[in-house]
Amino acid sequence: AVTEEAETDEDGIAAFDEEITDGVDPESIERVSKFDVPDWLKLDENGVPVEYSDAISGKSCAYTAEPDALMSTGKTVFQGYVAVDPDIIPYGSELYIIAEDGEVYGYAIAADTGYSVRAGHIIVDLFMDEYDDCIQWGAKNVTIYILK
């Protein structure tokens, strides 16, 4: 974020003092994931992680299940766990996901897989608690930042 304060010199010409901050607070961004954002995760002024090992772009979809359903890793479903192809993104990988349209899924953990990701139709299936949220998300192009 940049803030500017105008000050005029003796000739009445405005000069600006710029204060540049270190980016965006991840907690201040509206996101779909219900995971708390780790303290170490820093975002730049565009809301993109400052440090990541890789970025993968492609199509995403959303899915839901009964609240006590188990994922392929044995974890109970939670809005923040996502389904991936573990040959591409290993289970347990910490991710930050941003849709091309600007919507932010946010901090996520790879914990499930499914036919569509294994078959290469999509790169990530995002878990959501409510069916209506899945319908609203639809199919969106996203960038998955694989965090350190």
Side-chain angles (χ1 to χ4, degrees), residues 7-75:
E7 293 183 10
T8 55
D9 64 11
E10 65 264 8
D11 297 323
I13 298 172
F16 291 92
D17 262 339
E18 291 187 336
E19 178 186 323
I20 311 231
T21 60
D22 290 332
V24 177
D25 175 10
E27 288 291 346
S28 70
I29 296 174
E30 186 175 334
R31 60 194 184 279
V32 175
S33 174
K34 293 184 178 178
F35 275 126
D36 290 333
V37 177
D39 291 338
W40 54 263
L41 179 59
K42 306 296 182 216
L43 304 179
D44 68 15
E45 63 278 356
N46 298 312
V48 172
V50 173
E51 294 183 35
Y52 55 92
S53 61
D54 201 3
I56 303 171
S57 295
K59 190 162 115 177
S60 72
C61 288
Y63 73 107
T64 193
E66 293 297 319
D68 56 351
L70 297 179
M71 300 182 138
S72 58
T73 57
K75 296 187 178 301

Side-chain angles (χ1 to χ4, degrees), residues 27-148:
E27 288 291 346
S28 70
I29 296 174
E30 186 175 334
R31 60 194 184 279
V32 175
S33 174
K34 293 184 178 178
F35 275 126
D36 290 333
V37 177
D39 291 338
W40 54 263
L41 179 59
K42 306 296 182 216
L43 304 179
D44 68 15
E45 63 278 356
N46 298 312
V48 172
V50 173
E51 294 183 35
Y52 55 92
S53 61
D54 201 3
I56 303 171
S57 295
K59 190 162 115 177
S60 72
C61 288
Y63 73 107
T64 193
E66 293 297 319
D68 56 351
L70 297 179
M71 300 182 138
S72 58
T73 57
K75 296 187 178 301
T76 303
V77 292
F78 181 78
Q79 191 161 306
Y81 286 135
V82 298
V84 297
D85 180 339
D87 292 334
I88 298 170
I89 300 173
Y91 289 140
S93 294
E94 295 176 84
L95 314 168
Y96 197 80
I97 303 170
I98 303 172
E100 193 175 84
D101 68 2
E103 189 164 3
V104 176
Y105 188 81
Y107 177 75
I109 297 174
D112 200 8
T113 196
Y115 173 77
S116 291
V117 291
R118 284 287 201 177
H121 300 298
I122 59 175
I123 60 164
V124 66
D125 211 355
L126 309 169
F127 182 79
M128 298 190 183
D129 292 331
E130 302 295 328
Y131 175 78
D132 289 344
D133 293 335
C134 294
I135 297 302
Q136 184 176 346
W137 184 275
K140 293 185 182 193
N141 289 325
V142 298
T143 300
I144 301 170
Y145 296 93
I146 302 171
L147 305 173
K148 56 180 181 163

